[in-house]
Amino acid sequence: MGRYVVRRLLQAIPVLLGTTFLIFTLVYWLPGDPIQALAGDRAVDPVFRATMREMFHLDEPLVVQYGYYIQGILSGDFGTTFRGLPVSTIFEGKFQITLNLAMMALVIEAIVGIGLGLIAALRRGKAADTAILAFTLLLVSIPTLVSGFVLQLVLGLQLKTSTGIDFFPVAGTSEGWRSYLLPGIVLAGTSIAYLTRLTRTSLMETLRADYVRTAVAKGMPRRRVLGRHALRNSLIPLVTYLGADLGTLMSGAVITETIFNLNGIGRQLVDSVYLSENSVVVGIVTVLVLIFIAANLIVDLLYAVLDPRIRYE
């Protein structure tokens, strides 16, 4: 197991380098002058422009600039913005907000998605199965922008007006974990639909397996057949999807964060692109790539727990 972890970490190095170089190249070719963005509509003094370009290595070739960036990453330095702020200070608090939102969405997605998929698989072809499939189709069809504002109005405002209790805060993070509940539901909407259908398909295939039929023929209780044999062996594709979806939720939270006024990295990423703060954009993407790599490693290690036949040698 230890050698497998080391091997996967070594394999992650070219992934990290390739991904960061790609985003670094894309940011490098973005239109606009970051030095001019500092001054707005005013003219920039040529001496100041030359000084800034030399300070941030903007007069160097792309590969050289990337080399300076990687050198800083290895020492824990994500760089400095053109306004003189360390990129790491911009991350403070904002990554925690986005991570809290993504984890809330992931928990909601796992509970609702696997639960609905389980019901649909056990009621295949019946009214409950049809209703769940129609519900998942509805979730996929509604854009996050629409579902966010609708749920904010109905559950956040109208429910509070009718009951006098603020069940779902609609903005900010002042209410602790409850502040992430409604945004988490909105963010998890599409993922719930995919996970429900994946659970249904995986469980239906497992229920047709010979070892499940043998367990039923032996008279094993239905609950034990489902829990110990069917559901457990159906979890591998579900865990794979959930592990990959964590990074997707974090990187795709910009609309949800804007609707619910959450000052996370999604909004920071958009603002940084608009202001041509290249170091912030590349820094955010680098951390997201690291989260993807860590999540995939954890998922791979969970395979051996779910299926003892899997061994890492």
Side-chain angles (χ1 to χ4, degrees):
M1 179 70 76
R3 289 193 301 174
Y4 173 78
V5 173
V6 173
R7 187 168 68 249
R8 284 302 306 271
L9 291 176
L10 292 176
Q11 292 173 352
I13 294 176
V15 174
L16 179 63
L17 292 176
T19 307
T20 53
F21 181 74
L22 177 61
I23 191 63
F24 198 92
T25 303
L26 294 175
V27 171
Y28 179 86
W29 290 109
L30 281 177
D33 184 0
I35 308 301
Q36 182 62 52
L38 291 174
D41 296 331
R42 296 173 298 175
V44 179
D45 181 72
V47 177
F48 175 76
R49 182 189 296 274
T51 303
M52 292 291 291
R53 292 185 64 84
E54 181 181 359
M55 180 185 302
F56 290 96
H57 309 290
L58 298 180
D59 51 350
E60 302 280 357
L62 172 64
V63 177
V64 176
Q65 292 185 39
Y66 180 71
Y68 280 119
Y69 176 74
I70 291 299
Q71 183 180 356
I73 291 295
L74 294 177
S75 61
D77 181 14
F78 285 88
T80 306
T81 69
F82 293 113
R83 290 168 173 77
L85 295 175
V87 174
S88 57
T89 61
I90 297 178
F91 290 170
E92 292 178 0
K94 295 184 179 182
F95 256 108
Q96 187 62 51
I97 290 175
T98 301
L99 182 61
N100 291 344
L101 175 59
M103 292 304 297
M104 177 64 75
L106 194 70
V107 171
I108 295 173
E109 171 190 349
I111 294 175
V112 178
I114 295 178
L116 291 178
L118 179 62
I119 296 173
L122 297 178
R123 299 289 187 271
R124 183 181 57 174
K126 299 182 180 179
D129 182 27
T130 304
I132 290 174
L133 292 179
F135 176 66
T136 58
L137 181 61
L138 180 65
L139 288 178
V140 174
S141 303
I142 300 178
T144 302
L145 186 64
V146 175
S147 62
F149 282 118
V150 170
L151 291 180
Q152 193 178 50
L153 175 64
V154 175
L155 298 181
L157 298 179
Q158 294 183 353
L159 182 63
K160 178 181 178 180
T161 303
S162 60
T163 63
I165 303 176
D166 188 9
F167 291 103
F168 300 100
V170 297
T173 58
S174 59
E175 298 298 327
W177 67 270
R178 291 197 304 117
S179 302
Y180 299 97
L181 188 56
L182 190 55
I185 294 174
V186 174
L187 183 60
T190 303
S191 298
I192 288 175
Y194 293 140
L195 185 61
T196 298
R197 288 175 173 262
L198 180 61
T199 303
R200 176 181 181 272
T201 302
S202 179
L203 188 57
M204 286 171 54
E205 291 179 356
T206 305
L207 289 174
R208 290 194 293 265
D210 292 337
Y211 63 87
V212 174
R213 294 178 179 177
T214 302
V216 174
K218 287 183 176 180
M220 186 175 294
R222 181 177 177 84
R223 179 178 298 180
R224 187 177 180 185
V225 172
L226 291 175
R228 183 173 180 178
H229 297 283
L231 184 58
R232 180 175 179 177
N233 289 295
S234 301
L235 284 178
I236 289 182
L238 309 185
V239 170
T240 303
Y241 177 79
L242 287 172
D245 203 37
L246 175 60
T248 304
L249 292 172
M250 291 193 65
S251 59
V254 55
I255 296 178
T256 307
E257 289 178 355
T258 302
I259 294 174
F260 293 93
N261 194 27
L262 300 175
N263 191 19
I265 61 168
R267 294 176 62 183
Q268 180 63 54
L269 182 61
V270 174
D271 293 341
S272 299
V273 172
Y274 178 75
L275 296 173
S276 299
E277 289 287 2
N278 300 346
S279 57
V280 180
V281 175
V282 180
I284 291 176
V285 174
T286 300
V287 176
L288 290 177
V289 170
L290 291 174
I291 293 175
F292 265 110
I293 293 173
N296 287 331
L297 178 60
I298 293 174
V299 167
D300 288 345
L301 297 179
L302 285 176
Y303 288 165
V305 177
L306 297 174
D307 191 346
R309 294 172 298 179
I310 299 177
R311 289 291 182 266
Y312 300 110
E313 300 177 354

mmCIF file of all heavy atoms in Angstrom, residues 117-124 126 200 203-204 207 222 226:
data_model
loop_
_atom_site.group_PDB
_atom_site.id
_atom_site.type_symbol
_atom_site.label_atom_id
_atom_site.label_comp_id
_atom_site.label_asym_id
_atom_site.label_seq_id
_atom_site.Cartn_x
_atom_site.Cartn_y
_atom_site.Cartn_z
ATOM 1 N N GLY A 117 -31.542 6.736 -5.844
ATOM 2 C CA GLY A 117 -31.119 5.665 -6.743
ATOM 3 C C GLY A 117 -31.451 4.295 -6.203
ATOM 4 O O GLY A 117 -31.834 3.394 -6.959
ATOM 5 N N LEU A 118 -31.315 4.134 -4.888
ATOM 6 C CA LEU A 118 -31.653 2.859 -4.249
ATOM 7 C C LEU A 118 -33.144 2.565 -4.397
ATOM 8 O O LEU A 118 -33.543 1.443 -4.746
ATOM 9 C CB LEU A 118 -31.254 2.907 -2.774
ATOM 10 C CG LEU A 118 -31.553 1.673 -1.931
ATOM 11 C CD1 LEU A 118 -30.808 0.470 -2.463
ATOM 12 C CD2 LEU A 118 -31.187 1.917 -0.474
ATOM 13 N N ILE A 119 -33.970 3.571 -4.139
ATOM 14 C CA ILE A 119 -35.425 3.382 -4.285
ATOM 15 C C ILE A 119 -35.793 3.060 -5.722
ATOM 16 O O ILE A 119 -36.605 2.161 -5.988
ATOM 17 C CB ILE A 119 -36.170 4.647 -3.806
ATOM 18 C CG1 ILE A 119 -35.927 4.870 -2.311
ATOM 19 C CG2 ILE A 119 -37.659 4.539 -4.093
ATOM 20 C CD1 ILE A 119 -36.487 6.170 -1.793
ATOM 21 N N ALA A 120 -35.187 3.779 -6.669
ATOM 22 C CA ALA A 120 -35.504 3.554 -8.082
ATOM 23 C C ALA A 120 -35.103 2.155 -8.526
ATOM 24 O O ALA A 120 -35.824 1.504 -9.296
ATOM 25 C CB ALA A 120 -34.800 4.605 -8.938
ATOM 26 N N ALA A 121 -33.945 1.666 -8.050
ATOM 27 C CA ALA A 121 -33.495 0.334 -8.444
ATOM 28 C C ALA A 121 -34.394 -0.752 -7.872
ATOM 29 O O ALA A 121 -34.688 -1.751 -8.540
ATOM 30 C CB ALA A 121 -32.051 0.121 -7.991
ATOM 31 N N LEU A 122 -34.828 -0.571 -6.630
ATOM 32 C CA LEU A 122 -35.683 -1.577 -5.987
ATOM 33 C C LEU A 122 -37.119 -1.524 -6.489
ATOM 34 O O LEU A 122 -37.864 -2.488 -6.333
ATOM 35 C CB LEU A 122 -35.661 -1.381 -4.461
ATOM 36 C CG LEU A 122 -34.298 -1.579 -3.787
ATOM 37 C CD1 LEU A 122 -34.400 -1.317 -2.298
ATOM 38 C CD2 LEU A 122 -33.762 -2.980 -4.056
ATOM 39 N N ARG A 123 -37.521 -0.397 -7.073
ATOM 40 C CA ARG A 123 -38.882 -0.239 -7.612
ATOM 41 C C ARG A 123 -38.836 -0.086 -9.127
ATOM 42 O O ARG A 123 -39.588 0.663 -9.707
ATOM 43 C CB ARG A 123 -39.547 0.999 -6.992
ATOM 44 C CG ARG A 123 -39.701 0.961 -5.486
ATOM 45 C CD ARG A 123 -40.766 -0.057 -5.068
ATOM 46 N NE ARG A 123 -41.038 0.029 -3.639
ATOM 47 C CZ ARG A 123 -40.388 -0.648 -2.712
ATOM 48 N NH1 ARG A 123 -39.407 -1.461 -3.085
ATOM 49 N NH2 ARG A 123 -40.692 -0.515 -1.438
ATOM 50 N N ARG A 124 -37.946 -0.806 -9.755
ATOM 51 C CA ARG A 124 -37.728 -0.665 -11.198
ATOM 52 C C ARG A 124 -39.015 -0.910 -11.989
ATOM 53 O O ARG A 124 -39.713 -1.904 -11.789
ATOM 54 C CB ARG A 124 -36.665 -1.659 -11.670
ATOM 55 C CG ARG A 124 -36.323 -1.551 -13.134
ATOM 56 C CD ARG A 124 -35.302 -2.576 -13.534
ATOM 57 N NE ARG A 124 -35.747 -3.936 -13.233
ATOM 58 C CZ ARG A 124 -35.077 -5.030 -13.598
ATOM 59 N NH1 ARG A 124 -33.937 -4.903 -14.236
ATOM 60 N NH2 ARG A 124 -35.541 -6.221 -13.278
ATOM 61 N N LYS A 126 -41.743 0.680 -11.794
ATOM 62 C CA LYS A 126 -42.950 1.078 -11.085
ATOM 63 C C LYS A 126 -43.075 2.600 -11.030
ATOM 64 O O LYS A 126 -42.230 3.325 -11.555
ATOM 65 C CB LYS A 126 -42.966 0.473 -9.689
ATOM 66 C CG LYS A 126 -42.964 -1.066 -9.694
ATOM 67 C CD LYS A 126 -43.027 -1.640 -8.294
ATOM 68 C CE LYS A 126 -43.035 -3.167 -8.333
ATOM 69 N NZ LYS A 126 -43.079 -3.762 -6.973
ATOM 70 N N ARG A 200 -28.789 3.872 -9.534
ATOM 71 C CA ARG A 200 -29.844 2.984 -10.049
ATOM 72 C C ARG A 200 -29.259 1.948 -11.001
ATOM 73 O O ARG A 200 -29.517 0.744 -10.864
ATOM 74 C CB ARG A 200 -30.915 3.811 -10.760
ATOM 75 C CG ARG A 200 -32.029 3.000 -11.421
ATOM 76 C CD ARG A 200 -33.019 3.922 -12.112
ATOM 77 N NE ARG A 200 -34.100 3.175 -12.732
ATOM 78 C CZ ARG A 200 -34.046 2.689 -13.978
ATOM 79 N NH1 ARG A 200 -32.947 2.869 -14.711
ATOM 80 N NH2 ARG A 200 -35.081 2.028 -14.477
ATOM 81 N N LEU A 203 -26.736 -0.516 -9.120
ATOM 82 C CA LEU A 203 -27.404 -1.449 -8.209
ATOM 83 C C LEU A 203 -28.229 -2.475 -8.980
ATOM 84 O O LEU A 203 -28.280 -3.657 -8.596
ATOM 85 C CB LEU A 203 -28.288 -0.674 -7.239
ATOM 86 C CG LEU A 203 -28.913 -1.479 -6.095
ATOM 87 C CD1 LEU A 203 -27.835 -2.165 -5.266
ATOM 88 C CD2 LEU A 203 -29.758 -0.582 -5.198
ATOM 89 N N MET A 204 -28.854 -2.060 -10.057
ATOM 90 C CA MET A 204 -29.630 -3.013 -10.863
ATOM 91 C C MET A 204 -28.733 -4.090 -11.460
ATOM 92 O O MET A 204 -29.100 -5.267 -11.511
ATOM 93 C CB MET A 204 -30.384 -2.261 -11.965
ATOM 94 C CG MET A 204 -31.579 -1.469 -11.467
ATOM 95 S SD MET A 204 -32.297 -0.378 -12.731
ATOM 96 C CE MET A 204 -32.594 -1.524 -14.075
ATOM 97 N N LEU A 207 -27.745 -6.487 -8.589
ATOM 98 C CA LEU A 207 -28.845 -7.349 -8.155
ATOM 99 C C LEU A 207 -29.053 -8.534 -9.093
ATOM 100 O O LEU A 207 -29.646 -9.550 -8.694
ATOM 101 C CB LEU A 207 -30.145 -6.539 -8.055
ATOM 102 C CG LEU A 207 -30.222 -5.533 -6.899
ATOM 103 C CD1 LEU A 207 -31.486 -4.696 -7.003
ATOM 104 C CD2 LEU A 207 -30.158 -6.245 -5.553
ATOM 105 N N ARG A 222 -33.483 -9.997 3.267
ATOM 106 C CA ARG A 222 -33.364 -9.055 2.158
ATOM 107 C C ARG A 222 -32.482 -7.859 2.528
ATOM 108 O O ARG A 222 -31.679 -7.397 1.710
ATOM 109 C CB ARG A 222 -34.763 -8.581 1.751
ATOM 110 C CG ARG A 222 -34.762 -7.601 0.582
ATOM 111 C CD ARG A 222 -36.187 -7.244 0.200
ATOM 112 N NE ARG A 222 -36.217 -6.255 -0.856
ATOM 113 C CZ ARG A 222 -36.119 -6.523 -2.154
ATOM 114 N NH1 ARG A 222 -35.948 -7.772 -2.548
ATOM 115 N NH2 ARG A 222 -36.172 -5.564 -3.053
ATOM 116 N N LEU A 226 -29.080 -6.726 0.526
ATOM 117 C CA LEU A 226 -28.899 -5.393 -0.058
ATOM 118 C C LEU A 226 -27.692 -4.673 0.541
ATOM 119 O O LEU A 226 -26.886 -4.085 -0.186
ATOM 120 C CB LEU A 226 -30.162 -4.557 0.155
ATOM 121 C CG LEU A 226 -31.404 -4.979 -0.632
ATOM 122 C CD1 LEU A 226 -32.602 -4.129 -0.228
ATOM 123 C CD2 LEU A 226 -31.156 -4.848 -2.133
#
